[in-house]
Amino acid sequence: MDAERVAQELRRLDVGAVQQEEPLARHTSFRIGGPAAIYLQPPNQEALVRALDWVHREAVPYFVLGQGTNVLVSDQGLDAVVLSPSRALRYVDTKGDQLIAGAGVLLTKLAHRAHQAGLGGMEFAVSIPGTLGGALVMNAGAHGTEMKDVVRQLVVWEPGVGVRLVSSTEADFAYRSSAFMRQKWIALEAQIELTPKDPGEILSTMRHHMEYRKRTQPVGDPNAGSVFKNPPNDYAGRLIESLGAKGWRLGDAEVSQVHANFIVNRGHATAHDVLGLMRRLRHEVYARYAVQLRPEVRWIGPGEGGFEATWENLWCEAGKGLTEPCE
Ligand SMILES: Cc1cc2nc3c(=O)[nH]c(=O)nc-3n(C[C@H](O)[C@H](O)[C@H](O)COP(=O)(O)OP(=O)(O)OC[C@H]3O[C@@H](n4cnc5c(N)ncnc54)[C@H](O)[C@@H]3O)c2cc1C
C-alpha cells in the first residue's frame, strides 16, 4: 500500500484525523500489536461510510477495529487503513421497549442504559468489554444469553452495496460467529428488543454478574478474554487446566492462574509469544483428548485470506511437530 498517497486522499476526503504508523498495542486489550500504516477515527457516520466506500473502490486494504478486546494483532502490524467507529457511532436512543444504538457504543454502557430505562434482557452484557459492533460480529454472550437473543434488526455497510438493513435471521448468529465474518459487513447500528422489568431486579442481576467475573477471571492483567471456544459439551478451560497448564509461559505470555482459557500479558508479550503458547495448548489438548480447540480470539495479521487469516492456515504454516491434521 502506498501509505503516503492513501493518507493524502483520506485527508482530502475529510474523514477525520489521519494517523500514520499508529501502534495498535494502544488499541487492544492484550496491549499487543504492531503499527497500522494508517489509523482513522471518523467523527461521524457519513465520514465513516465515505472512508469505507473509498477504500473499497480503490482496493485499499482496510480493517475495522472496535475496542480490540477479542483480537491478537500481529507484531508486524498492518499495512492497511484501520478504522475505528468508536467516535462516529456512539449514540443510544430508547424507543418503546427498544434500544437503538450505534456500533461504537460500549456494551457495558448499553446494559446500563437498559437498566435506566427499566428494560430487562441486556444484563448479561454488563461485564463483557468491547463495542456493540464487535459483539455483533462475535455474537458475544455470557450467563446463557447472547446477542442473537436481543438483536432484531441491523444497519450495516456492505462492500460494493453501501448502507442497508439486515434482519437478525440474515445475520445468522451462532456460537461466537455470525454472517459478518463471511459477508465482510461493517456494523453501523442495531435495534435491540428488550422487555420491561423492575430496575432493582435488573441491578441485582448485573451486580451478581460483575462479582462473578471478578472472582473467576484475571481482571488485572491485559488479556483478550477466552482464547479458545468451548468444544461441544465441554469447556476449553477445563481441558487446559487438566493438563496442569496454568502458569505455562512463553516470553511474557502466560496461561492465567485464575482461568486456564485466558492468556495474560505479563509485561512485554508479543503476538508471537501468544501464538506459540496457544499452539502448545492446542497441541497438548489434542494429544491427550483428541479434541481440536478452535480459537475464539481473532488473528489480525498478514496471512492467507487477508488480515483475518483463518487460524488453520497459521497452524499449518507453523506446522512443526503438530500431530493433528491441517484442514
Ligand atoms: C476480560 C475479557 C472478558 C471477555 N468476556 C467475554 C464474554 O463473557 N463473552 C464474550 O462473548 N466475549 C467476551 N470477551 C471478548 C470480547 O469482549 C467480545 O468478543 C467483544 O464483543 C469484542 O468487541 P470489540 O469491540 O472489542 O471487538 P474487536 O476485538 O475490536 O473486534 C472483534 C472482531 O469484530 C470486528 N469488528 C469490530 N467492530 C466491528 C464493526 N463495527 N463492524 C464490523 N466488524 C467489526 C473486528 O474486525 C474483529 O474481527 C471478553 C474479553 C475480555 C478482554
Side-chain angles (χ1 to χ4, degrees), residues 94-150:
T94 316
K95 196 172 140 199
D97 294 348
Q98 292 180 345
L99 293 182
I100 313 290
V105 176
L106 295 182
L107 213 55
T108 49
K109 183 173 174 187
L110 269 186
H112 287 291
R113 276 298 291 271
H115 164 236
Q116 282 162 8
L119 294 172
M122 277 305 285
E123 296 90 320
F124 76 98
V126 69
S127 48
I128 303 181
T131 62
L132 170 62
L136 293 167
V137 174
M138 300 305 303
N139 183 28
H143 311 288
T145 309
E146 299 175 319
M147 291 307 292
K148 82 166 166 38
D149 301 319
V150 292

Side-chain angles (χ1 to χ4, degrees), residues 27-30 48 52 62-72 83-86 89 102-107 124-125 127-143 145-147 155-157 175-176 180-181 184-189 213 217-226 262 296-300 308:
H27 303 279
T28 64
S29 58
F30 248 146
L48 173 64
L52 285 167
Y62 65 95
F63 176 77
V64 171
L65 187 66
Q67 196 75 358
T69 64
N70 203 53
V71 290
L72 178 59
L83 294 126
S84 159
S86 295
L89 307 171
V105 176
L106 295 182
L107 213 55
F124 76 98
S127 48
I128 303 181
T131 62
L132 170 62
L136 293 167
V137 174
M138 300 305 303
N139 183 28
H143 311 288
T145 309
E146 299 175 319
M147 291 307 292
V155 181
V156 307
W157 175 86
Y175 175 52
R176 300 299 170 267
F180 278 88
M181 295 172 178
K184 307 289 173 206
W185 291 331
I186 302 304
L188 300 178
E189 182 181 290
R213 198 163 288 255
Q217 293 183 6
V219 284
D221 292 310
N223 68 77
S226 299
F262 279 57
E296 178 170 327
V297 169
R298 309 210 76 197
W299 166 254
I300 312 298
E308 296 197 66

Side-chain angles (χ1 to χ4, degrees), residues 8-311:
Q8 222 170 33
E9 289 295 323
L10 288 170
R11 285 192 185 104
R12 212 174 44 77
L13 282 176
D14 191 22
V15 288
V18 175
Q19 290 167 261
Q20 290 182 254
E21 293 299 307
E22 172 68 6
L24 289 174
R26 286 187 193 153
H27 303 279
T28 64
S29 58
F30 248 146
R31 300 282 169 261
I32 290 174
I38 291 176
Y39 181 81
L40 201 59
Q41 239 186 353
N44 52 50
Q45 181 170 320
E46 292 69 36
L48 173 64
V49 168
R50 208 158 52 243
L52 285 167
D53 284 339
W54 187 80
V55 287
H56 175 70
R57 206 172 46 243
E58 297 289 316
V60 170
Y62 65 95
F63 176 77
V64 171
L65 187 66
Q67 196 75 358
T69 64
N70 203 53
V71 290
L72 178 59
V73 176
S74 153
D75 299 317
Q76 279 70 52
L78 289 183
D79 188 26
V81 176
V82 174
L83 294 126
S84 159
S86 295
R87 196 170 291 161
L89 307 171
R90 62 171 179 211
Y91 53 90
V92 192
D93 295 315
T94 316
K95 196 172 140 199
D97 294 348
Q98 292 180 345
L99 293 182
I100 313 290
V105 176
L106 295 182
L107 213 55
T108 49
K109 183 173 174 187
L110 269 186
H112 287 291
R113 276 298 291 271
H115 164 236
Q116 282 162 8
L119 294 172
M122 277 305 285
E123 296 90 320
F124 76 98
V126 69
S127 48
I128 303 181
T131 62
L132 170 62
L136 293 167
V137 174
M138 300 305 303
N139 183 28
H143 311 288
T145 309
E146 299 175 319
M147 291 307 292
K148 82 166 166 38
D149 301 319
V150 292
V151 171
R152 287 296 151 262
Q153 194 165 261
L154 303 127
V155 181
V156 307
W157 175 86
E158 181 170 313
V161 173
V163 177
R164 76 172 184 95
L165 284 178
V166 161
S167 70
S168 176
T169 318
E170 213 182 330
D172 197 21
F173 293 118
Y175 175 52
R176 300 299 170 267
S177 98
S178 70
F180 278 88
M181 295 172 178
R182 299 181 291 277
Q183 308 289 353
K184 307 289 173 206
W185 291 331
I186 302 304
L188 300 178
E189 182 181 290
Q191 199 181 84
I192 294 166
E193 203 158 276
L194 302 169
T195 325
K197 194 169 168 185
D198 171 42
E201 217 181 297
I202 296 175
L203 189 60
S204 144
T205 308
M206 294 202 308
R207 285 199 175 130
H208 181 267
H209 291 342
M210 287 190 284
E211 276 158 24
Y212 175 81
R213 198 163 288 255
K214 270 195 208 139
R215 251 194 348 267
T216 58
Q217 293 183 6
V219 284
D221 292 310
N223 68 77
S226 299
V227 282
F228 295 107
K229 293 183 188 183
N230 289 324
N233 309 314
D234 210 334
Y235 293 96
R238 189 195 73 79
L239 294 172
I240 295 168
E241 188 168 353
S242 73
L243 302 172
K246 278 183 167 176
W248 282 3
R249 202 161 167 154
L250 189 62
D252 266 354
E254 185 180 288
V255 178
S256 166
Q257 298 278 1
V258 184
H259 192 312
N261 196 22
F262 279 57
I263 289 179
V264 294
N265 177 356
R266 303 289 277 169
H268 299 97
T270 60
H272 186 258
D273 295 336
V274 175
L275 196 57
L277 198 50
M278 287 177 71
R279 197 178 296 138
R280 179 172 177 204
L281 294 174
R282 195 171 186 257
H283 172 66
E284 304 267 349
V285 165
Y286 185 79
R288 173 129 16 137
Y289 300 108
V291 171
Q292 283 199 34
L293 290 180
R294 309 219 169 249
E296 178 170 327
V297 169
R298 309 210 76 197
W299 166 254
I300 312 298
E304 235 178 272
F307 291 118
E308 296 197 66
T310 60
W311 287 91

